[in-house]
Amino acid sequence: MPRSLIWLFSIASGLSVANVYYAQPLLDALAGDFGISHAAIGGVVTATQLGCALALLFVVPLGDNVDRKRLMAIQLLALVAALISVGIAQTSSTLLAGMLATGMLGTAMTQGLIAYAASAASPHEQGRVIGAAQGGVFIGLLLARVFSGGISDIAGWRGVYLCAAVLMVIIAFPLWWKLPRLPDVPTVMSYPQLIGSMLTLLRKEKVLQVRGILALLMFAAFNIFWSALVLPLSSPPYNFSHTAIGAFGLAGVVGALAATRAGQWADRGYARNTSAAALVILLLAWWPLSLMDRSLGILLIGIVLLDLGGQALHVTNQSLIFRTRPEAHSRLVGLYMLFYATGSGFGAIGTTITYAAVGWQGVCLLGGTVSLLALLFWWITQKSVDQA
């Protein structure tokens, strides 16, 4: 695959997923604008994750049944409309509906691109291509907070979503011109058959089951941190601006970049070792994160560790899952990421409630507990799944 096409998959995936995470540094601004309490504002993120779940169940699987390039164009135009609707929302119900649509279409675009890249890549380079595309997703997720914080300080939170709509229009042109045509689907199923086949895949594929649970726990831990971080940093003694809070995501890019080779390690037979190291790092990250009140430098170390562990595990998971059924890449990624969306939603709502009740140390204890559960689950199940 040409390097330019790999870069296009990576950049487009990053821009698409960023739409799902722009709200996190803006939670306090949204709470003030719409009169929502801090304990309940996590519902904005949860609405977005509900949209993610709907996309993974009912939209992403279409990539196994229809022309992916045409499907991508339709989803992109709909995503632009959803972003504009959030930017002009005047009531909390309209905001939540727009967030749900943004989560659904942003996720459909992102995971559709990951499945597209896996199908377009040759078997010997699949791990490398998936790692690069997934690296774009992780960096887009992290830089979304920097972009969101910076634009909101200049043009308000509404400006964030209107600018995001413009970015998606810009990326539409190279996607349409450069994405390769894939071979026609040999057997076209009806839509109910397509959706029903996902249950069969979930029931039969042991690797999908194990890696899906790991994704649920890992992304719950990830969202426990990022959804809560804005709350202490925007309050005394810090009183940081949205730009400063969003900039903390830059530290995570270091960890994400360091883990982009995890797919290649999985291809070489080191998936078990990579998974173990990633889960241990994810757990250890909560110790420096819990020391935020002593030093923001220690907080940055924790962010790097959290994103390093999360990215390495995520890329390894997808590399293993895509090996099982080449003809079902879209359905497999949809099912896998459904676990992710569930974990992210629970993490977002759980952490805001925890922070309101017991503060930052409670958030770190919650995140550490979830990370420990992930490590224990992997330890119990890893021997039952070949190379998992």
Side-chain angles (χ1 to χ4, degrees):
M1 182 179 291
R3 186 176 296 272
S4 61
L5 183 56
I6 296 176
W7 274 101
L8 179 59
F9 275 122
S10 181
I11 293 169
S13 298
L15 286 175
S16 298
V17 78
N19 297 300
V20 182
Y21 292 93
Y22 287 138
Q24 286 186 348
L26 307 175
L27 291 181
D28 60 330
L30 292 169
D33 219 10
F34 290 92
I36 304 173
S37 70
H38 275 178
I41 195 59
V44 170
V45 179
T46 302
T48 309
Q49 298 302 330
L50 176 60
C52 294
L54 293 174
L56 297 170
L57 276 173
F58 301 113
V59 183
V60 173
L62 287 170
D64 288 334
N65 219 34
V66 300
D67 181 82
R68 279 200 176 106
K69 192 170 185 177
R70 184 176 302 174
L71 178 64
M72 198 70 59
I74 294 171
Q75 290 171 347
L76 198 151
L77 292 175
L79 176 58
V80 170
L83 290 167
I84 293 173
S85 73
V86 172
I88 62 175
Q90 298 299 317
T91 65
S92 58
S93 58
T94 306
L95 174 70
L96 292 174
M99 289 293 186
L100 187 146
T102 297
M104 181 172 68
L105 294 161
T107 299
M109 279 287 299
T110 304
Q111 301 311 319
L113 285 163
I114 296 293
Y116 208 133
S119 297
S122 300
H124 70 277
E125 63 177 354
Q126 195 173 70
R128 178 173 68 93
V129 173
I130 292 172
Q134 193 58 55
V137 171
F138 229 71
I139 292 171
L141 185 157
L142 296 170
L143 292 183
R145 300 175 180 91
V146 182
F147 175 87
S148 181
I151 297 297
S152 67
D153 283 342
I154 297 170
W157 70 265
R158 296 182 187 276
V160 173
Y161 286 92
L162 297 178
C163 287
V166 173
L167 288 175
M168 295 311 300
V169 170
I170 292 172
I171 198 64
F173 294 100
L175 283 175
W176 183 252
W177 291 330
K178 298 295 184 180
L179 287 184
R181 289 280 181 185
L182 298 176
D184 292 335
V185 180
T187 304
V188 177
M189 293 180 280
S190 68
Y191 185 70
Q193 288 175 329
L194 183 72
I195 301 304
S197 68
M198 295 175 71
L199 295 175
T200 302
L201 288 171
L202 184 60
R203 186 176 67 251
K204 291 184 175 180
E205 295 297 333
K206 182 70 173 179
V207 172
L208 175 62
Q209 295 168 8
V210 171
R211 292 290 160 173
I213 295 296
L214 287 174
L216 186 153
L217 295 170
M218 185 266 285
F219 277 103
F222 198 75
N223 249 29
I224 283 169
F225 172 74
W226 284 111
S227 293
L229 182 63
V230 64
L231 300 176
L233 291 184
S234 62
S235 304
Y238 303 108
N239 294 316
F240 286 158
S241 66
H242 289 131
T243 301
I245 295 172
F248 278 86
L250 292 173
V253 174
V254 176
L257 287 173
T260 53
R261 296 180 65 87
Q264 295 181 51
W265 296 333
D267 286 343
R268 296 171 183 171
Y270 301 123
R272 185 173 297 173
N273 294 339
T274 304
S275 298
L279 288 164
V280 170
I281 291 170
L282 190 71
L283 177 60
L284 292 178
W286 290 100
W287 177 66
L289 293 177
S290 69
L291 302 177
M292 180 176 67
D293 58 341
R294 299 187 186 180
S295 168
L296 292 180
I298 295 177
L299 173 66
L300 293 176
I301 293 172
I303 291 173
V304 171
L305 293 175
L306 187 75
D307 290 328
L308 172 60
Q311 169 72 344
L313 182 64
H314 190 38
V315 172
T316 303
N317 287 348
Q318 290 196 317
S319 297
L320 291 171
I321 289 168
F322 279 133
R323 293 179 187 177
T324 58
R325 298 285 185 93
E327 79 285 358
H329 281 162
S330 292
R331 281 167 288 169
L332 287 170
V333 76
L335 286 166
Y336 169 74
M337 294 302 293
L338 185 60
F339 287 98
Y340 144 83
T342 303
S344 294
F346 280 126
I349 195 68
T351 194
T352 50
I353 293 173
T354 301
Y355 183 81
V358 292
W360 182 251
Q361 294 304 315
V363 168
C364 292
L365 179 60
L366 176 64
T369 300
V370 172
S371 301
L372 178 60
L373 286 175
L375 179 60
L376 292 175
F377 176 79
W378 173 82
W379 178 258
I380 292 168
T381 60
Q382 53 97 18
K383 292 183 179 179
S384 67
V385 181
D386 184 35
Q387 289 189 326

